[in-house]
Amino acid sequence: MPTPPLPLVERHHDRAEHVAIKMGGVELTYGELDRAVNQAAAALAAQSSGAGVIAVPAVPEVETVVATLAALRAGVTVTPLNPGAGTAELAHMVDDCRPALVACRPDLDLP
């Protein structure tokens, strides 16, 4: 499947060394962001087996941005999960969207 363009990243290909995102002490240039998104999109495509939905915890971190952009680049729908929601609400959201996987760090504490 061809890689869909991501206008925000693609538009800045001539400024690959410029900072694209800065969160929580982590900084990525446009070039680094593009490479991270491509790597994650390839891993997602391999893991999801063509699944249409993944869930991503909506936390203010660079990893959230990379996972979301990677899913979009892989042509996968993203459902954000609020880690602050209660167990019942998260269970309802996951049951409703039936994600093929939840893309998060192992140390993220989801109820």
Side-chain angles (χ1 to χ4, degrees):
M1 172 182 0
T3 303
L6 291 173
L8 177 64
V9 175
E10 303 288 328
R11 185 173 48 205
H12 296 285
H13 72 278
D14 60 332
R15 294 188 275 175
E17 73 284 352
H18 291 205
V19 174
I21 187 168
K22 188 189 299 189
M23 297 176 112
V26 178
E27 185 175 288
L28 291 180
T29 65
Y30 283 101
E32 292 168 333
L33 178 61
D34 193 46
R35 285 187 294 279
V37 167
N38 285 338
Q39 183 178 14
L44 179 60
Q47 283 187 335
S48 67
S49 303
V53 179
I54 69 161
V56 176
V59 293
E61 297 176 353
V62 169
E63 291 86 353
T64 302
V65 175
V66 170
T68 301
L69 292 175
L72 295 173
R73 182 161 281 173
V76 176
T77 301
V78 180
T79 298
L81 297 178
N82 178 1
T87 304
E89 183 177 346
L90 282 172
H92 172 73
M93 291 174 69
V94 169
D95 187 54
D96 191 43
C97 74
R98 301 234 183 248
L101 65 99
V102 176
C104 73
R105 295 186 335 263
D107 63 328
L108 185 62
D109 188 24
L110 289 174

